Amino acid sequence: MAERCERSGSITHTVFLTPAEQYEAEHNIRPSDCNYLFSGGVKDAERKALFFLPYWMDAGNADIDDYIKAVRFFVRFGEPGHRDYLGALLGLGIRRDFLGDIFIYEGGADVLCLKSIEETVFSLEKAGRCGVKAEKIAVSEVKIPEKHIKPVSFTVASPRLDAAVSGIFRISREKAAGHIKLGNVSLNYEACLKPDAQVKAGDIISLRGSGKARIKDFGALSRKGRLFINGELPRMEE
């Protein structure tokens, strides 16, 4: 994509990437004359495409709306969920990586997609057992549900992975180490089998069955010489 951008002097882009693919891509992009950015169309999107920009263009003047589109679905009866919309769209022959985030709210959903499949997405008439009506909207009109983040703070003797898992997910150090050795823990989207692996600010830690958390930052040392760690966990709505 970068080489094509350099040759043509025009924007090139990938399909929508998962957070793990984004992390891998960003850490493996080779230096080139192109600028690049990740965008899912809306702020804090989970799935994002990687855009390569000609050297004379930057994120401020790249019109991503030319490449990512949004379709809104209204439902009169019933409450189809994320799985219903996704299953129905895949049933139309659409590849998952051509679809971005799907935001569900009362009375409908907003779907982000690549421009090439906008018309196919627009043709959807049923999600699950519910009839839906589609409308093309500007990406700026997408309704983004409020994210509920639970702050978590704890202290550790050293910033080891088992200590961080224990503190974030509120389990014992022994259980945390056991999960790591069983391959149930991912560090920055890759399974990590080393309990003593060092964590740092910005790291993403996932525990199978318990969700995904982020190390926000490190605080000062406590009076007993322990390090404060501040993390963030998605909070389930009550």
Side-chain angles (χ1 to χ4, degrees), residues 16-29 38-40 45-50 101 189:
F16 286 101
L17 306 176
T18 65
E21 291 168 337
Q22 294 167 42
Y23 184 88
E24 182 178 359
E26 187 158 28
H27 286 76
N28 287 281
I29 292 176
F38 290 91
S39 176
E46 181 173 88
R47 290 177 175 266
K48 299 177 182 178
L50 171 55
D101 287 2
Y189 305 105

Side-chain angles (χ1 to χ4, degrees), residues 68-84:
I68 297 178
K69 299 297 181 179
V71 178
R72 173 165 293 166
F73 292 98
F74 300 94
V75 56
R76 182 171 299 178
F77 302 106
E79 295 182 5
H82 187 282
R83 183 178 297 181
D84 297 313

Side-chain angles (χ1 to χ4, degrees), residues 55-181:
Y55 72 92
W56 46 265
M57 183 182 296
D58 58 29
N61 54 24
D63 195 353
I64 302 304
D65 286 359
D66 287 343
Y67 303 90
I68 297 178
K69 299 297 181 179
V71 178
R72 173 165 293 166
F73 292 98
F74 300 94
V75 56
R76 182 171 299 178
F77 302 106
E79 295 182 5
H82 187 282
R83 183 178 297 181
D84 297 313
Y85 282 101
L86 179 58
L89 290 166
L90 297 181
L92 295 176
I94 297 174
R95 279 173 38 183
R96 179 63 182 96
D97 53 9
F98 277 56
L99 295 167
D101 287 2
I102 300 174
F103 298 109
I104 308 297
Y105 48 84
E106 186 176 356
D110 289 348
V111 177
L112 291 158
C113 65
L114 295 182
K115 181 180 179 179
S116 60
I117 62 164
E118 180 185 18
E119 293 300 328
T120 306
V121 173
F122 182 72
S123 71
L124 184 69
E125 297 180 344
K126 193 173 184 180
R129 297 182 178 181
C130 305
V132 297
K133 182 179 179 181
E135 175 188 348
K136 296 177 184 178
I137 61 172
V139 171
S140 60
E141 298 178 54
V142 170
K143 296 180 181 179
I144 305 174
E146 181 181 357
K147 287 189 176 182
H148 299 276
I149 301 297
K150 177 183 178 181
V152 179
S153 296
F154 54 94
T155 63
V156 296
S158 64
R160 292 167 47 113
L161 180 58
D162 55 356
V165 170
S166 172
I168 290 177
F169 296 103
R170 303 306 194 202
I171 59 177
S172 70
R173 181 83 170 269
E174 292 72 23
K175 284 187 176 180
H179 280 300
I180 293 170
K181 293 176 181 178

